[in-house]
Amino acid sequence: MRGLPTAIQMLWPLIQPGKRLSILLYHQVLPEPDPLKPDDPDIATFDWQMDLLARHSSVLPLPEALERLEAGTLPPRATAITFDDGYADNRLHALPVLQRHGLPATFFIAAGYLNGGRMFNDTLIEAIRRAPDGELDLATQGFGMHNLTDADSRRNAVRSIIREIKWLPRSEREEAVRAVADQIGADLPDDLMMTDEQVCELANAGMTIGGHTLSHPILAQEDEATAAREITEGRQRLQTITGQPVDLFAYPNGRPSQDYTARDVALVRNAGFSAAVSTSMGSSNARSDRFQLPRFTPWSRNPAKFLAQLVRNTRHPVTVA
């Protein structure tokens, strides 16, 4: 680990071998930095992150990692890499980097958005991106006035509107972003999410495909029949596309109690999945709930801090999400 600060070199070997698993969470890998998506790495950043993981962690396919966690045979600094939602850049940008470093990953895909779909947040982002400079009056929609002059003002507008609509019922949320997009009137992209063929390419490259519902609802807001249908039909569609079993699941948004409940955990288990991941921070140990496994997004764009965040996360296991 030459070139890393002494403190990191001292902490990193302290991670107990065979005891804990860190599951990393990504969404997109962008061709270049995007001020409207500051939390998503670009290709260059993702490349050095994967290089660090390849050199300093034991990166395992998530199914194997879970088997070894249960058996008590995890290697030191065990890590699994996951992606949520099903963005096309997972195939176009993330896969080549993963292959270059010889790393496996699991892709949790909201199957209903494949082949030209667009998630509500992306409809909003792409509409605001294309809005002309100047005042954007969204008072009619209940979102106030926004002065769009630069990337920062556009990012702030997106964040403000998402805060207002994220936990609305799904139909109201979709209607709200359509109203904003219609007012702006710009042509929006229809190639943000993967095609069936691209999902197959990931699977054929040895990557794991996992379920993430059909349309990414907040399961806790749905009635039981709708939640069950979202969970099972999303899985069935992915199995039809890939011709392979889909055994792992990721809860949309993923915060326990707020985004999914004990009812939804039972639905996932009854649907035939073998494990599920949340977005609670922390690492897993042998006592962790296999259907509420924590995940962690290391956000630093500094290599030493990136590893330091991994160390801290691994030192704080979550036994029940």
Side-chain angles (χ1 to χ4, degrees):
M1 298 204 298
R2 292 188 301 273
L4 293 176
T6 301
I8 302 299
Q9 297 187 46
M10 293 174 63
L11 278 173
W12 200 241
L14 295 178
I15 306 304
Q16 297 180 23
K19 299 292 185 181
R20 298 172 182 169
L21 170 66
S22 281
I23 305 175
L24 304 190
L25 167 60
Y26 290 92
H27 289 85
Q28 294 190 253
V29 174
L30 306 172
E32 56 190 21
D34 184 347
L36 298 190
K37 295 186 174 183
D39 297 330
D40 293 310
D42 63 357
I43 295 171
T45 299
F46 186 67
D47 184 63
W48 67 249
Q49 290 178 345
M50 295 305 100
D51 177 62
L52 285 179
L53 290 176
R55 290 190 288 122
H56 303 309
S57 294
S58 299
V59 180
L60 302 171
L62 184 54
E64 178 186 344
L66 296 179
E67 290 178 5
R68 296 182 68 172
L69 177 65
E70 190 169 327
T73 60
L74 279 177
R77 299 176 293 283
T79 306
I81 300 165
T82 69
F83 284 81
D84 278 8
D85 297 339
Y87 286 97
D89 56 56
N90 292 182
R91 166 61 186 91
L92 298 174
H93 306 320
L95 180 61
V97 174
L98 292 165
Q99 291 177 317
R100 182 158 58 250
H101 295 287
L103 299 177
T106 295
F107 296 83
F108 293 105
I109 297 168
Y113 290 106
L114 297 173
N115 306 306
R118 189 173 54 247
M119 301 181 75
F120 87 91
N121 53 302
D122 290 310
T123 294
L124 179 62
I125 289 170
E126 297 307 324
I128 296 295
R129 188 193 306 279
R130 290 162 173 77
D133 287 348
E135 295 289 342
L136 177 61
D137 185 356
L138 299 176
T140 302
Q141 293 83 8
F143 304 133
M145 184 79 71
H146 300 273
N147 187 24
L148 304 180
T149 58
D150 55 16
D152 287 342
S153 62
R154 292 173 191 275
R155 182 172 62 249
N156 290 336
V158 168
R159 288 175 173 173
S160 173
I161 297 169
I162 286 181
R163 280 196 300 269
E164 293 289 333
I165 67 175
K166 189 169 186 178
W167 285 279
L168 289 176
R170 185 172 20 160
S171 60
E172 294 181 29
R173 191 173 61 221
E174 296 289 344
E175 182 179 348
V177 296
R178 277 198 301 269
V180 173
D182 289 346
Q183 178 169 329
I184 293 171
D187 290 333
L188 302 183
D190 60 3
D191 60 352
L192 297 178
M193 312 308 285
M194 281 189 279
T195 63
D196 290 357
E197 181 180 3
Q198 288 171 323
V199 174
C200 287
E201 289 170 351
L202 287 178
N204 292 338
M207 303 295 156
T208 302
I209 304 300
H212 198 40
T213 71
L214 271 176
S215 61
H216 204 275
I218 297 174
L219 291 172
Q221 292 184 347
E222 304 292 344
D223 62 66
E224 184 169 347
T226 301
R229 183 171 62 253
E230 283 279 343
I231 292 165
T232 58
E233 291 186 8
R235 182 189 193 212
Q236 291 165 0
R237 189 172 300 185
L238 292 172
Q239 290 183 150
T240 298
I241 290 169
T242 65
Q244 299 177 11
V246 173
D247 295 327
L248 303 177
F249 182 81
Y251 301 99
N253 284 18
R255 282 172 292 189
S257 300
Q258 183 170 1
D259 298 322
Y260 71 92
T261 66
R263 179 206 70 181
D264 305 307
V265 174
L267 290 175
V268 170
R269 184 184 287 108
N270 294 339
F273 290 97
S274 62
V277 295
S278 71
T279 57
S280 293
M281 292 178 62
S283 59
S284 299
N285 61 24
R287 294 173 295 163
S288 297
D289 183 345
R290 193 176 176 90
F291 284 86
Q292 296 190 82
L293 297 165
R295 289 188 293 172
F296 171 66
T297 300
W299 61 87
S300 177
R301 297 300 185 255
N302 175 280
K305 291 181 179 179
F306 176 86
L307 281 182
Q309 289 170 348
L310 292 179
V311 170
R312 286 195 296 270
N313 184 68
T314 308
R315 300 292 290 176
H316 292 85
V318 172
T319 56
V320 178

